[in-house]
Amino acid sequence: MSFIVGKNLEKRYDKTTVFKNINFNIKKGEFVTLLGPSGCGKSTLLRCIAGLNEINNGDIYIEGENVTDKSAKDRGIGMVFQNYALFPNMTVFENIAFGLEMKKLKKGYIEKKVDEMLKLVHLEEKRDFYPAQLSGGQKQRVAIARSLATEPKILLLDEPLSALDAKVRKSLREQLKEIQKETNVTTIFVTHDQEEALTISDRVFIMDKGNIVQVGTPEEIYTNP
Ligand code: ADP
Ligand code: ADP
């Protein structure tokens, strides 16, 4: 059974149609990448799946449940954007703990969970640092840890590596793949970087001008471009 289903999705801004008749299925634990040039609708599709943007037509199902009318908060989704939206006046620990505090979970549980997340992203030694004291790659690892702390069903990543220099990007890409394997969280990753898409994903959805024009494993896309 598919874990995430998009059926006939359509999104318009005034007169501009960003996409229509978008259909896809994503399996539990899968790492899917939306790959395509800037402006083709990747971010918009991701935001619609998250419930941050409303769709004009179609339905989105998560674990068989129609979530089209559900708020972002009720979809069980964690999201990381290109520009690490960390709270500058909170430490790494406090940033990761934030979502857990909002849920009013017990202090002992929060401590344990944050430490587990710090270990997952290899930032144990930065626990009491502030975002300004971290590199770009470290900030993104904190953002990933913060998203995963609340155990979302789905992790959505919108060009999370794009603001980083090439070397950091490559190392973080590998870490991200490891983190996804370890947690098995169903992941949708957005990028315009083909190499990134082909090295990190179980399957790639290639988008062009608001359409998903090809779907395949990296091997299938390599051999049949
Ligand atoms: P991508 O993520 O592939 O770069 P986007 O989803 O950001 O593409 O944008 C797809 C199209 O939708 C673009 O033409 C963009 O200008 C348009 N668009 C995105 N957001 C808005 C908005 N809030 N209002 C109007 N048009 C938008
Ligand atoms: P991306 O990195 O996804 O291509 P953009 O720079 O296209 O991002 O868009 C940044 C923000 O501006 C997004 O929130 C998007 O929704 C909004 N946006 C993009 N295009 C338009 C547009 N034509 N009109 C209004 N808002 C837009």
Side-chain angles (χ1 to χ4, degrees), residues 13-14 16 18 36-45 53 158-159 190:
Y13 288 114
D14 299 322
T16 320
V18 182
S38 182
C40 74
K42 306 180 298 295
S43 289
T44 304
L45 180 56
N53 285 3
D158 193 353
E159 305 240 10
V190 160

Side-chain angles (χ1 to χ4, degrees), residues 80 84 86 96 117-118 120-126 135-147 168 171-172 175-176 179:
V80 176
Y84 8 86
L86 300 178
I96 298 172
M117 290 296 111
L118 284 169
L120 182 70
V121 299
H122 306 297
L123 282 177
E124 295 102 316
E125 78 282 11
K126 304 291 184 193
S135 70
Q138 290 168 344
K139 284 183 203 165
Q140 277 309 57
R141 277 146 66 194
V142 175
I144 292 165
R146 188 176 61 181
S147 297
V168 177
S171 114
L172 194 50
Q175 268 197 50
L176 186 56
I179 290 167

Side-chain angles (χ1 to χ4, degrees), residues 159-177:
E159 305 240 10
L161 311 180
S162 296
L164 308 169
D165 67 52
K167 205 171 142 210
V168 177
R169 200 156 68 220
K170 199 159 173 213
S171 114
L172 194 50
R173 181 210 292 169
E174 277 153 24
Q175 268 197 50
L176 186 56
K177 197 169 167 68

Side-chain angles (χ1 to χ4, degrees), residues 89-139:
N89 57 340
M90 290 187 196
T91 64
V92 166
F93 180 94
E94 290 163 350
N95 265 283
I96 298 172
F98 184 78
L100 302 168
E101 305 268 4
M102 295 295 283
K103 289 189 165 192
K104 301 205 187 319
L105 294 164
K106 288 210 177 78
K107 203 162 176 273
Y109 173 82
I110 294 177
E111 298 245 334
K112 204 171 118 242
K113 190 73 194 176
V114 175
D115 284 339
E116 186 189 310
M117 290 296 111
L118 284 169
K119 207 165 158 198
L120 182 70
V121 299
H122 306 297
L123 282 177
E124 295 102 316
E125 78 282 11
K126 304 291 184 193
R127 189 182 192 272
D128 300 316
F129 282 51
Y130 287 88
Q133 298 171 295
L134 304 177
S135 70
Q138 290 168 344
K139 284 183 203 165

Side-chain angles (χ1 to χ4, degrees), residues 26-45:
I26 294 171
K27 292 189 276 290
K28 191 176 166 89
E30 215 177 6
F31 193 126
V32 166
T33 296
L34 306 181
L35 170 69
S38 182
C40 74
K42 306 180 298 295
S43 289
T44 304
L45 180 56

